[in-house]
Amino acid sequence: TSYSQEASAKALFEYGLALDSPGFIMCGLSLVAWFSTMLAEIGKLLSFTGALLSVPKGKTRFRENNGTVICLSLSYWRFAVVLATILLRSIVLALVLYYGTLYLVYTEEVQELLLNAVALKFVLDVAALFYEAFAPLRARSFTSRLSPIPIRGIAEYNCGGLLGPVIMLFALGLMLLICSHNIVVPALDERKATWDHLCGGERNFAVATDGLGRIHWSYTSNFSDSSTLVDGTYMTEAVEWLSKGITKDVNSTAAMAIYEPSLDTLLHTINDQTVIQAGSVRPCMNIDAD
């Protein structure tokens, strides 16, 4: 409909049609926050996997020491169950990462970008909220008392704790690069194509609605960066000419004043009437004569 095209045009104009436009800059900041959040979740999962692999296998045994519980060994059955859980969570994180990125890139309004990024973070926290709300008190108490499990072999390669942050920064840059090439740039091309096809590709016209709710429109000249008219004044003057019924146009095309309830009906009127017929104006005093 004409209203949906108007809303789409407004959203596209405010978002921007270049990588340095406000919309794509905010999208980039939202993606940095989103990828950082996902990398934190992936880091936790990798640390948990490393700790699981460091626990000796055999019979499941725990030891209590000064209020803390130390895991001495795990049975192969428990190890397989926990490993399957890790695999399942990895799949979930991969899906959330992919579709969450699409969700941010294809957000239409700039104001919604950061809100959507926060909403995605909430999706990741749902599991923890369910655990706090529904896990038995005994299980939560046991988990809170578990002593951290040292990961074997990582200390000698950690470089004083700098290895992890360096890897995460590299992964963040790689994710941004892949996302930019495979998702952001195609999304930009789709926005440009949408902009080019709005109103059937014809956007050199001005539209105004008077106090009676009637639509007035007229063709205008092509926009040019070298034009002496100030941006914004051009469209304002065109609409003012229409509202006042002035037959004036830089393309020497007679201004049209067509009274229809919508632009869809307007298009049918244009196809069925001549320019002179469509441009006829009835005085307001006779508007209820018919």
Side-chain angles (χ1 to χ4, degrees):
T1 63
S2 57
Y3 175 78
S4 63
Q5 290 196 60
E6 178 185 0
S8 299
K10 183 179 179 181
L12 286 171
F13 180 78
E14 292 179 349
Y15 197 98
L17 298 173
L19 290 178
D20 58 349
S21 60
F24 280 98
I25 291 175
M26 288 298 298
C27 179
L29 294 176
S30 300
L31 287 175
V32 169
W34 170 237
F35 289 157
S36 299
T37 301
M38 290 302 300
L39 285 173
E41 294 294 326
I42 294 173
K44 293 177 183 178
L45 189 63
L46 292 177
S47 297
F48 183 79
T49 305
L52 178 67
L53 296 175
S54 299
V55 176
K57 310 305 181 291
K59 184 179 180 180
T60 302
R61 293 185 301 126
F62 293 94
R63 185 181 66 191
E64 187 172 0
N65 183 21
N66 296 328
T68 61
V69 178
I70 302 174
C71 180
L72 299 178
S73 61
L74 281 178
S75 65
Y76 287 100
W77 168 248
R78 292 180 184 270
F79 173 77
V81 170
V82 177
L83 200 60
T85 304
I86 292 175
L87 179 60
L88 179 61
R89 180 160 178 79
S90 301
I91 296 174
V92 171
L93 285 179
L95 293 175
V96 171
L97 174 62
Y98 177 71
Y99 287 105
T101 302
L102 292 179
Y103 182 57
L104 289 178
V105 172
Y106 285 95
T107 296
E108 295 184 355
E109 299 183 6
V110 180
Q111 298 88 339
E112 300 294 328
L113 277 169
L114 290 180
L115 293 177
N116 289 345
V118 174
L120 289 173
K121 178 64 170 67
F122 173 77
V123 171
L124 293 176
D125 293 338
V126 167
L129 293 176
F130 272 92
Y131 173 78
E132 292 293 334
F134 302 109
L137 179 60
R138 182 177 179 182
R140 283 184 287 153
S141 176
F142 178 82
T143 304
S144 63
R145 294 167 56 200
L146 274 175
S147 177
I149 301 174
I151 302 177
R152 294 179 299 181
I154 196 173
E156 55 185 301
Y157 302 106
N158 202 16
C159 302
L162 296 177
L163 181 61
V166 170
I167 293 177
M168 288 299 179
L169 285 175
F170 176 79
L172 176 61
L174 184 61
M175 291 169 70
L176 288 172
L177 182 62
I178 294 175
C179 176
S180 175
H181 183 268
N182 295 294
I183 300 179
V184 176
V185 172
L188 174 61
D189 295 336
E190 291 178 12
R191 289 178 182 273
K192 289 180 178 179
T194 302
W195 177 261
D196 291 338
H197 289 85
L198 281 174
C199 301
E202 176 60 71
R203 294 186 301 279
N204 296 314
F205 62 89
V207 178
T209 304
D210 62 18
L212 297 178
R214 302 174 303 183
I215 295 177
H216 305 258
W217 77 281
S218 176
Y219 285 113
T220 60
S221 66
N222 294 329
F223 175 78
S224 174
D225 292 333
S226 60
S227 175
T228 57
L229 295 173
V230 181
D231 187 24
T233 304
Y234 186 82
M235 189 63 70
T236 303
E237 290 183 357
V239 172
E240 183 180 359
W241 299 339
L242 287 168
S243 299
K244 294 181 178 179
I246 301 175
T247 306
K248 178 181 179 182
D249 188 83
V250 293
N251 280 341
S252 299
T253 303
M256 299 182 186
I258 302 177
Y259 305 147
E260 296 293 349
S262 69
L263 285 178
D264 294 329
T265 309
L266 183 67
L267 295 177
H268 291 289
T269 305
I270 294 172
N271 293 330
D272 297 336
Q273 293 181 339
T274 65
V275 172
I276 297 177
Q277 291 173 331
S280 61
V281 181
R282 288 187 299 179
C284 291
M285 65 182 70
N286 297 327
I287 194 67
D288 297 324
D290 297 337

